[in-house]
Amino acid sequence: MEITLQGKTAFIAGGTSGINLGIARAMVREGARVAVLSRSQDKVDAAVAELNDIAGASTTLGFAADVRQGDAVEAAMAEAAEIMGPLDIVVSGAAGNFLAPAEALSSNAFRAVMEIDLLGTFHVMSSAFRHAREGKASFINISAPQASIPFWGQAHVCSAKAGVDMLTKTLALEWGPKGIRVNAIVPGPIANTEGMARLAATPELEEIAKVSVPSRRFGEADEVATAAVYLASDQAAYVNGAIFCVDGGQVVGGATLMQPDVLNMMSS
């Protein structure tokens, strides 16, 4: 079975680093025209240059905008659709994270993650609906294991990602009849990403994170990208409303980070 994205247009929010840049790379390799969005103009410029090198042509678009600002997301997506044509694929991957026990979370800190992860996902999805190819499009939200299992120091992220999963299912229900599939990918701990640098900042915490995964290793960004390419492709035409785990079984293992000795290490 050959999977290709040849001739498709993709818009990737958060697509300038980590998992989302890995998805952008993979989609360019499979023939898609790609636009990326991020808050940092420097990151946007670097990602566009890299993706154009992969494509062998200046086909990638880049936009500097904050997903918390719905008007900015709409303007970027409208421009991308005007230049590249209606959007076949939209990935919402912008996210914020840090470790903090619930009693230490300020209202502003909690709100910031909710706005980036959940409100930002809504902004991307609602704009995508207006610029999608009529009758045939694939939207992908990037979720996290925190959506379904509790993690110490992650009350804000658990709340936001649980919302992302339910938003994904609700949009799949509402937009499926319009030819738009909406799915979510749940990456487990992925090596060489900003998220893991924050959540597993020491060798001890890295080992704890690996033990929480039944496969006993970190994943690779390319493994998440492979899932995204599949969900974006015509081969996944009957996949809608799925929460697609690429986590080495972490969700199956449950909240193994809740042991008292682990809590002591993480809070010290």
Side-chain angles (χ1 to χ4, degrees):
M1 179 180 66
E2 182 181 358
I3 293 179
T4 179
L5 303 181
Q6 193 69 41
K8 294 184 181 292
T9 60
F11 188 101
I12 303 175
T16 63
S17 62
I19 289 169
N20 302 298
L21 179 55
I23 291 172
R25 292 186 188 111
M27 290 189 174
V28 168
R29 291 189 189 104
E30 294 301 327
R33 300 180 299 274
V34 172
V36 295
L37 178 145
S38 174
R39 282 185 292 175
S40 166
Q41 185 67 58
D42 289 344
K43 286 186 176 182
V44 169
D45 293 342
V48 168
E50 179 183 347
L51 295 171
N52 281 337
D53 283 345
I54 294 171
S58 298
T59 59
T60 304
L61 299 179
F63 302 92
D66 190 330
V67 295
R68 292 174 289 187
Q69 306 299 321
D71 290 346
V73 173
E74 170 63 23
M77 207 169 290
E79 184 175 346
E82 181 178 356
I83 295 170
M84 299 193 305
L87 303 178
D88 302 285
I89 304 158
V90 176
V91 179
S92 179
N97 200 353
F98 51 88
L99 280 172
E103 67 272 16
L105 271 173
S106 68
S107 176
N108 285 341
F110 189 90
R111 182 185 298 111
V113 171
M114 291 295 290
E115 288 185 349
I116 295 170
D117 288 35
L118 183 52
L119 182 61
T121 297
F122 173 75
H123 286 156
V124 173
M125 290 291 101
S126 60
S127 291
F129 178 81
R130 291 187 285 273
H131 300 289
R133 187 172 300 281
E134 185 174 354
K136 189 176 183 181
S138 173
F139 296 171
I140 302 168
N141 294 320
I142 304 301
S143 186
Q146 289 94 322
S148 55
I149 56 176
F151 280 68
W152 183 93
Q154 296 281 273
H156 45 321
V157 178
C158 290
S159 300
K161 291 301 189 182
V164 168
D165 279 9
M166 190 52 71
L167 178 62
T168 298
K169 294 175 183 179
T170 303
L171 297 183
L173 178 68
E174 293 189 10
W175 295 350
K178 302 177 187 298
I180 297 173
R181 299 183 291 112
V182 188
N183 297 291
I185 294 176
V186 178
I190 304 299
N192 302 314
T193 60
E194 183 178 348
M196 287 314 299
R198 293 187 180 194
L199 300 182
T202 68
E204 293 80 11
L205 291 177
E206 282 191 14
E207 188 59 30
I208 290 167
K210 288 178 182 177
V211 169
S212 77
V213 178
S215 293
R216 292 296 191 268
R217 68 173 178 89
F218 286 170
E220 300 293 335
D222 284 350
E223 293 174 306
V224 181
T226 298
V229 167
Y230 166 69
L231 289 174
S233 73
D234 293 341
Q235 279 71 22
Y238 203 51
V239 181
N240 188 29
I243 308 299
F244 200 94
C245 292
V246 186
D247 67 345
Q250 187 175 47
V251 168
V252 175
T256 56
L257 297 184
M258 298 302 292
Q259 301 164 10
D261 56 334
V262 174
L263 296 184
N264 290 336
M265 180 183 297
M266 295 178 78
S267 59
S268 60

